[in-house]
Amino acid sequence: MSFVPHTQEDIKQMLEAIGVSSIDELFRDIPLGLRAKSFNIPAGRPEFEVTQILHKLSLKNGIGLINFVGAGFYDHFIPAAVDAIAGRSEFYTAYTPYQPECSQGWLQAIYEYQTIICQLTGLDVSNASLYDGGTALFEAMMMAIRETGRNKIILDSGINLIYRTMLYTYTSNLSIEFVEIPVVHGQSSRKDLFKHLDNKTAAVIFQNPNFFGAVDDYSDAVNEVHKFGALAIASVYPVSLGLLKTPGEMGFDIATGEGQSLGIPLSFGGPYLGFMSAKNELVRQMPGRIVGLTVDSQGSRGFVLTLQTREQHIRRQRATSNICSNEALCALRAVVFVSLLGRDGLVELAEHNYQKAEFAKEQLLRLKSVEVKRSSATFNEFTVFLPCNADKVVERMIEKGFACGFPLGRFYKGMDNYLLVAVTEKRTKEEIIAFIDNLKKVL
Amino acid sequence: MKLIFEKHKDGRRGFSYGSNCVLEAKLLPRKYCRAKAAILPSLSELDVVRHYTNLSRLNFSVDTNFYPLGSCTMKYNPKFTEKVASFEGFLQLHPLLPQLSGGGKLAQGSLEVLYETEKLLCEITAMSAFTMQPLAGAHGELTGVMLIAAYHKDKGSRRKYVIVPDSSHGTNPASAAIAGYQVKVIPTGPDGYMDLAEFKKELSDEVAAVMLTCPDTLGIFNPRIKEITDLAHKAGALMYYDGANLNAMLGKCRPGDIGFDVVHLNLHKTFATPHGGGGPGAGPVGVSEKLAEFLPISRVVKRSDGSYALDYNYHKSIGYIAPFYGNFGVILKAYAYMLILGKEGLTKVAEIAVLNANYCQAKLKDWYDLPFSKNCMHECVFSAARQVKYGVHAIDIAKYLIDKGFHPPTIYFPLIVSEALMIEPTETESKETIDAFIDTMIEIARLAKENPSLIKQAPLNMPVKRLDEVRAARDPDLSWKPKI
C-alpha cells in the first residue's frame, strides 16, 4: 500500500509527456555508485494488520494506574469537543498559514489562542506557540540575552530539572554564565538572589508553582531584578493561572510554560505545547510565528502572519531563532479547551485542583509515619517526607495500581525519602482515600 | 467571522466540573491569588464547536485541496494513523512512568515503537543510530549541529564555521548560528549546483560542518555530491544532510552511503504525518557510528530478554534537547506509515513523487522560465520572470490559484531564483488533479499577457480579499483586547 493513485496507463502517458521511457531514467542524476546499498525494510502489510499490531502494542502499556504523578506533566480531563475540533482535517492537514486568504480559519484560531495566553499570563503579546515548555524557556532566555546584551543567567533551582538540563545542553557552546540559587523551605531564596544579582545579569528565571508545587509571590524579587536592568522570566503552569497571581501582575517581562494541561493528552511526552508571552516592548525579540490582525483591500477584518522579518526564512543566520514549525494543532486544542471552560470554568478547574490536593494533604495526616511539608502554600502538588526510600514506595505502589508520585531523589541529592504528589481534578475522593490506605500498607 | 470573544455571554457554560465532592472549600491565601480574572469567552459547547468548525472551513488543506507547496511535501495523511495514535494505551501514558522504579514494564509498547522506528530509519538512511527526540525539523538541525560541536570538542579541535549554500533553507544558517557557529555562504553556480571553486576556497580546518539539502532546494540532485563529501572529510569537517527532501530518495539513495555524518528527517513530510497547521512535527536525527556516543539522553535500548528500557549511561551525551522521548504521537504515526507501505511502498513513493514533479516541469516549461533546465527530482522550481514583464508577479499567480481552488506552490523560495514558484505535487496526487493544476497555470500564463489585471485582482472568491501585510507589521494588533 502506498496511497499512490496512478494506473499503469497514467504512468505511461506521463513518461511520454516527459520524454523518457522509464521511471528509472528520472533518477539518472544519481550516480550508480551512490545508489542505496541496501533497503532492507519489511514488506508492507494491509491496514487491518498494522492496526492490530499497534493495538496490541498499545495494550502492553499499563495505563490503568491511578495517577498521582505530575512533575510538570499532568493528568487532566479533556472534553470530547476538543478532540472533535482538533480532528477536523481542514485543520490538521493544512500547513503553516503562509497564504492568508486560504488560511483565515487557522489564522483567526491562532489569534484567539494568542489572546487567551495573554489573558492567562497577564502579559501583552504572545506568539503562535513553540515546541514545549523547555524549549520555550530556552527561547525566553535567549531573548533576554539579546535584549540586554549581557550573558549571566540566574536560575531558581525550583525550576524543573528537566528544563534546567535543557538550558545547559543548548548553551554548551555559548559563553553564558549560570548561577543557581537554592530553594529554602520550598521558596526561592531571596538572600541568595540578591547576592548574585548584578549589572551583568541578563535574566533571572523562576518557576511558579515551583517543582515542589510551592506557590510564591515574586513581585519583590522581580522589582529588585529590574533595578539592575535585567529581565525577569517566569515558567508557569497554565491551569494554576485560574487562581494564581499572574506573571503580569508580578511584573515579569516574559512568561513561558508547558501548555499540555490545556486539553493535550500526556501521550508519552509529546506532542506538547510551548507557550510564550511578553511585554509589548519585547515583541520584536520573540521567536516563532506571530499572527496579527489587519484589513483586506475592501477594509474587512482579516489575519496574517506578521513581524516576519524576525524569522529564519528572511533573516537566516541573523534571525531571532531557528524555529520554523510550531505546535499549532496543540495550540488549537488549548484555545478550544479554554473556550469550553470559559471564565468560570477555568477558575473552577483551578479550585478543584487546589482543594483536592489540600484534601489529600489532610488525609495524609492520618499516617503518623509521613510528614507533609507545609512551609509553603502549594497549588495541586506537594512534597511528602517518607520514613523510607521513596523509590521503593513508588515501586510497591505500582504493584497496587497507583502511580503514587515522583521520587525527588531522582532529581535532587539528599532527597531520597521525599515524594512529590500531584492531585488533579480527575482524582475522586474515593481514589484519594484508597491511595492513602494503600500507602499505609506499603510503608 | 466574529471572534470567539465577541460571542461571549455572561453566565453561559460549555463545560462543568460538577460539584467538588471532597470537601468544605479551602481558600488559597489571598496574596498568591490573581487580582483580576482572565477575560475568557463564556459560551455553550455548541457555540464553541460551531465557531471552530466554521473556522476550519475557511482553510485549504490536503483533504480539501491540491497543495503543491514546494519543500513541504504535502502528501495525503492516511486516516488509519490517526486512529492508531488515539489508542488509549498510547494516549494516556505518562512520560515519567518508565523513569520510576517498576514503571518500565508498563511502558513496553511505547518504548518498542520508539526502538523499532529508530531501526527502520537507520536502514532507510544508512545511519548507525537515531535520536527520536527532536520536536521539529529545525530542532533536529540544531541537535545535529550540537552533536557536531560535541564531536569536534571531544577531538580537541576548535572550529568556528559552518558552510551552507545560498540555496539552503533559512533554518540551516539559523540553526548553525544558534549552536554558536559563524556561517559561510557558498553561492550557486550558473549550472544550479553549489559553486565548487568557491566551496574549496572557503573550506579549511576551521570548518566544523557543511550543511546540504539533497536533492537541493531547486529539486536537483548534485551528481558531484560525493566529491563535496570527500573534500569536506579531508578537511576534517562533518557532512550534515537536511532531510527535508528525502521523499525523492526513499529506496533509491541513502545519505549514509554517500558519506553524510548527520541526517535530520521531517516525519511530517516524508513519513506522512499531518502538518497540523504548522505543527507538531518531528525531526529525528541520525548519525554515523563515530557520533553515536554524543546523542541526547535518554536512549531506548533492547535488553537481552527482549524488553525495552531507557538508558542514560552515555557520559559524552550532549544532554537533554527535549523533555522526554520526542513527539511520540507523531513518531507513532510515522511508524504505522512505514509498516503499511513497506519496502515496495516506500520505493514507489520516491518514484511517483519524482514522476509527478517531472510531469509538471515538462508540461509547464514552455509557459514559465525554468532557471535551471535539468531533470528534477520531487519538485520543480520555475520563475515568474516572464510574467513580471506584464506586471504579474509570483504572488499574483499564487492568489489567482487560490481563487481556482489550488493551494499555491511555495513562492519566493529558494531565494536565489527571482520570482520563484516551487512546485511539489507529491506522489499521492493523481494525474487528473495535476492536469487541472497545469491547465490553470497555463491559463494564468495566457492571462498574464492578455489581461493581467484579472490576475492582480485575485482572490475574489475567498472570505477575504488581499490582506494588508504592511499595516499588520507597522501597527501590530496581536490579541483581542476587552473593552473596559
Side-chain angles (χ1 to χ4, degrees):
Chain A
M1 190 69 207
S2 56
F3 303 96
V4 164
H6 295 54
T7 64
Q8 285 310 313
E9 183 56 28
D10 290 337
I11 293 173
K12 193 170 142 249
Q13 286 177 15
M14 292 170 87
L15 288 171
E16 270 168 28
I18 298 165
V20 294
S21 56
S22 71
I23 287 180
D24 261 356
E25 225 179 307
L26 299 173
F27 289 85
R28 62 181 176 255
D29 285 341
I30 306 178
L32 287 178
L34 297 184
R35 298 297 173 95
K37 291 197 168 61
S38 83
F39 198 63
N40 192 17
I41 304 291
R45 294 163 178 272
E47 180 177 327
F48 59 87
E49 278 185 29
V50 177
T51 307
Q52 200 174 39
I53 290 168
L54 290 168
H55 189 247
K56 277 188 184 151
L57 273 186
S58 79
L59 297 177
K60 285 192 185 174
N61 291 334
I63 55 156
L65 297 178
I66 298 170
N67 192 22
F68 291 87
V69 175
F73 310 90
Y74 298 92
D75 180 22
H76 290 294
F77 183 77
I78 302 172
V82 175
D83 295 323
I85 295 300
R88 287 203 58 102
S89 64
E90 298 94 326
F91 278 125
Y92 78 73
T93 72
Y95 196 68
T96 305
Y98 293 132
Q99 296 288 343
E101 297 85 358
C102 60
S103 314
Q104 282 299 297
W106 254 124
L107 288 160
Q108 182 172 330
I110 294 172
Y111 180 86
E112 291 172 354
Y113 160 82
Q114 290 175 178
T115 303
I116 63 144
I117 294 300
C118 292
Q119 282 297 325
L120 286 175
T121 58
L123 282 161
D124 306 320
V125 289
S126 155
N127 67 9
S129 80
L130 297 161
Y131 309 138
D132 84 300
T135 49
L137 193 58
F138 165 67
E139 293 288 347
M141 185 188 80
M142 295 304 282
M143 281 172 72
I145 287 169
R146 285 194 300 273
E147 178 70 14
T148 59
R150 304 173 180 177
N151 67 349
K152 177 175 163 185
I153 300 291
I154 299 177
L155 292 180
D156 174 11
S157 56
I159 298 168
N160 194 330
L161 182 72
I162 294 173
Y163 292 175
R164 280 181 283 143
T165 309
M166 286 170 73
L167 296 182
Y168 293 136
T169 300
Y170 283 115
T171 53
S172 57
N173 302 307
L174 311 177
S175 44
I176 292 172
E177 182 196 345
F178 284 99
V179 177
E180 284 203 15
I181 52 171
V183 171
V184 180
H185 297 303
Q187 309 253 298
S188 166
S189 161
R190 302 300 198 269
K191 198 179 87 195
D192 288 275
L193 168 66
F194 299 153
K195 193 170 81 194
H196 292 290
L197 195 57
D198 56 19
N199 52 21
K200 282 188 282 185
T201 308
V204 181
I205 309 180
F206 297 105
Q207 179 175 314
N208 195 42
N210 70 12
F211 190 70
F212 307 101
V215 299
D216 201 354
D217 177 1
Y218 290 96
S219 305
D220 61 320
V222 171
N223 196 24
E224 207 62 29
V225 169
H226 285 158
K227 283 185 193 160
F228 288 90
L231 299 189
I233 299 170
S235 177
V236 291
Y237 171 18
V239 162
S240 75
L241 293 172
L243 273 182
L244 293 189
K245 190 171 273 191
T246 65
E249 286 173 330
M250 291 188 250
F252 279 99
D253 301 281
I254 309 172
T256 63
E258 175 50 65
Q260 174 269 325
S261 56
L262 302 175
I264 297 158
L266 283 164
S267 189
F268 205 46
Y272 285 170
L273 168 70
F275 66 85
M276 173 187 277
S277 59
K279 287 180 177 166
N280 254 328
E281 54 266 33
L282 292 168
V283 67
R284 281 167 208 275
Q285 291 289 0
M286 269 193 156
R289 314 288 185 191
I290 298 176
V291 172
L293 185 148
T294 188
V295 292
D296 71 3
S297 52
Q298 313 285 305
S300 303
R301 180 165 75 181
F303 302 88
V304 293
L305 292 174
T306 193
L307 303 175
Q308 295 192 63
T309 50
R310 301 164 295 114
E311 292 187 57
Q312 48 76 27
H313 60 284
I314 295 175
R315 283 279 282 283
R316 299 177 72 83
Q317 59 266 37
R318 285 179 298 281
T320 56
S321 159
N322 68 330
I323 284 175
C324 183
S325 288
N326 57 27
E327 306 287 300
L329 197 67
C330 299
L332 177 71
R333 296 185 75 94
V335 71
V336 174
F337 177 82
V338 171
S339 299
L340 284 166
L341 266 59
R343 290 178 197 186
D344 300 334
L346 190 81
V347 175
E348 189 175 288
L349 170 61
E351 281 173 355
H352 281 214
N353 274 265
Y354 173 69
Q355 290 166 0
K356 287 187 172 177
E358 290 301 307
F359 175 73
K361 279 184 187 174
E362 271 174 24
Q363 294 298 309
L364 277 163
L365 292 177
R366 290 196 284 128
L367 306 186
K368 297 238 163 37
S369 57
V370 310
E371 184 194 344
V372 178
K373 291 289 165 186
R374 313 200 80 152
S375 52
S376 310
T378 60
F379 174 60
N380 70 347
E381 198 163 19
F382 53 90
T383 53
V384 181
F385 182 71
L386 303 174
C388 53
N389 189 305
D391 243 359
K392 297 273 177 337
V393 173
V394 166
E395 190 166 2
R396 281 179 228 137
M397 284 293 277
I398 284 176
E399 301 296 327
K400 298 202 169 289
F402 293 87
C404 74
F406 184 78
L408 283 168
R410 203 180 138 67
F411 283 0
Y412 292 90
K413 263 192 194 133
M415 295 194 80
D416 288 346
N417 284 19
Y418 286 83
L419 186 67
L420 184 67
V421 176
V423 188
T424 69
E425 79 287 352
K426 274 175 81 173
R427 297 289 73 83
T428 62
K429 186 178 181 177
E430 293 71 28
E431 285 173 344
I432 295 168
I433 289 170
F435 161 68
I436 286 151
D437 289 345
N438 279 282
L439 193 60
K440 193 176 175 181
K441 285 181 203 154
V442 305
L443 285 176
Chain B
M1 230 172 100
K2 275 186 173 179
L3 292 166
I4 192 136
F5 306 96
E6 294 162 343
K7 297 177 177 173
H8 160 86
K9 191 159 184 185
D10 277 336
R12 232 168 230 163
R13 289 294 289 269
F15 187 80
S16 168
Y17 286 95
S19 65
N20 188 355
C21 55
V22 287
L23 29 82
E24 52 307 351
K26 281 225 161 200
L27 291 178
L28 185 69
R30 204 163 182 80
K31 62 176 172 172
Y32 299 126
C33 292
R34 61 189 296 164
K36 209 174 114 236
I39 309 293
L40 303 171
S42 297
L43 305 101
S44 69
E45 180 171 327
L46 172 59
D47 290 338
V48 175
V49 168
R50 189 169 288 163
H51 177 77
Y52 287 105
T53 301
N54 283 329
L55 278 186
S56 80
R57 296 167 71 191
L58 305 181
N59 295 331
F60 278 13
S61 64
V62 172
D63 280 6
T64 53
N65 304 78
F66 181 43
Y67 215 122
L69 189 65
S71 213
C72 300
T73 316
M74 295 298 281
K75 62 171 75 177
Y76 173 63
N77 312 127
K79 297 299 158 197
F80 87 102
T81 65
E82 295 297 316
K83 179 176 171 180
V84 163
S86 72
F87 291 153
E88 291 287 293
F90 292 129
L91 214 52
Q92 308 273 355
L93 195 62
H94 197 293
L96 284 168
L97 197 60
Q99 300 185 26
L100 305 179
S101 292
K105 60 178 182 287
L106 299 174
Q108 288 299 305
S110 291
L111 291 174
E112 183 171 338
V113 167
L114 291 170
Y115 184 86
E116 292 300 327
T117 307
E118 181 183 332
K119 287 283 155 287
L120 286 173
L121 295 181
C122 283
E123 177 63 16
I124 287 170
T125 57
M127 304 309 286
S128 290
F130 260 83
T131 172
M132 304 307 296
Q133 288 187 30
L135 304 171
H139 198 218
E141 292 177 24
L142 179 56
T143 306
V145 178
M146 282 161 48
L147 290 167
I148 288 167
Y151 169 83
H152 287 305
K153 207 184 219 173
D154 188 58
K155 286 241 172 297
S157 137
R158 301 218 165 272
R159 291 170 181 253
K160 55 183 179 188
Y161 299 107
V162 166
I163 287 183
V164 302
D166 62 356
S167 62
S168 72
H169 297 112
T171 48
N172 291 178
S175 299
I178 284 169
Y181 285 105
Q182 292 172 49
V183 175
K184 284 181 183 255
V185 182
I186 309 296
T188 299
D191 54 0
Y193 303 127
M194 181 171 82
D195 188 319
L196 214 51
E198 285 295 320
F199 173 66
K200 286 178 186 163
K201 221 188 290 170
E202 295 292 355
L203 195 59
S204 71
D205 60 5
E206 287 194 308
V207 172
V210 180
M211 297 179 85
L212 293 181
T213 306
C214 174
D216 64 22
T217 59
L218 294 163
I220 298 172
F221 188 95
N222 187 339
R224 297 176 77 177
I225 188 96
K226 184 74 182 145
E227 194 180 336
I228 295 169
T229 307
D230 291 343
L231 283 168
H233 283 157
K234 209 170 282 172
L238 297 182
M239 288 297 295
Y240 184 97
Y241 182 96
D242 176 332
N245 295 344
L246 190 80
N247 213 42
M249 301 282 95
L250 292 171
K252 299 289 174 186
C253 179
R254 307 184 306 165
D257 291 338
I258 302 174
F260 281 93
D261 303 286
V262 184
V263 172
H264 92 260
L265 304 179
N266 301 76
L267 298 186
H268 49 288
K269 296 180 182 179
T270 314
F271 298 97
T273 71
H275 290 64
V285 168
V287 293
S288 57
E289 205 173 342
K290 61 180 184 254
L291 285 155
E293 60 185 333
F294 303 104
L295 286 173
I297 45 176
S298 59
R299 289 173 63 186
V300 182
V301 292
K302 192 172 184 175
R303 295 202 194 98
S304 52
D305 66 358
S307 68
Y308 300 89
L310 297 173
D311 190 352
Y312 291 85
N313 197 17
Y314 299 90
H315 71 281
K316 287 186 178 176
S317 164
I318 58 169
Y320 282 29
I321 59 107
F324 297 106
Y325 326 107
N327 276 342
F328 179 80
V330 178
I331 295 163
L332 174 62
K333 289 178 198 178
Y335 181 52
Y337 177 77
M338 287 188 272
L339 290 184
I340 203 169
L341 265 70
K343 179 179 180 160
E344 294 74 18
L346 288 168
T347 310
K348 194 164 188 184
V349 163
E351 290 175 348
I352 302 298
V354 171
L355 175 71
N356 278 353
N358 274 283
Y359 181 68
C360 283
Q361 181 168 289
K363 287 283 204 175
L364 290 173
K365 68 180 178 207
D366 292 340
W367 302 90
Y368 293 88
D369 285 355
L370 193 58
F372 303 103
S373 183
K374 289 197 162 53
N375 166 47
C376 71
M377 300 305 289
H378 65 299
E379 63 194 2
C380 56
V381 180
F382 287 100
S383 162
R386 205 186 301 178
Q387 286 69 35
V388 169
K389 280 183 267 171
Y390 312 110
V392 172
H393 291 264
I395 187 132
D396 302 314
I397 294 169
K399 302 307 179 194
Y400 191 84
L401 282 167
I402 291 173
D403 252 351
K404 296 291 171 185
F406 298 105
H407 193 285
T410 293
I411 52 174
Y412 301 107
F413 183 81
L415 305 176
I416 53 168
V417 173
S418 80
E419 299 286 335
L421 296 161
M422 185 194 220
I423 303 168
E424 182 179 11
T426 83
E427 75 281 1
T428 54
E429 296 294 339
S430 67
K431 180 171 178 294
E432 290 77 9
T433 301
I434 295 171
D435 280 338
F437 171 76
I438 287 167
D439 290 346
T440 306
M441 287 295 286
I442 293 172
E443 177 194 328
I444 293 171
R446 281 211 188 96
L447 274 179
K449 256 193 227 171
E450 292 157 11
N451 194 356
S453 68
L454 212 59
I455 300 172
K456 296 194 72 74
Q457 286 167 21
L460 297 172
N461 306 330
M462 301 305 292
V464 289
K465 307 286 178 292
R466 278 199 211 189
L467 290 155
D468 189 343
E469 302 198 16
V470 175
R471 175 181 158 149
R474 196 179 49 221
D475 186 14
D477 174 345
L478 311 178
S479 64
W480 170 83
K481 312 281 185 313
K483 289 188 186 71
I484 304 156

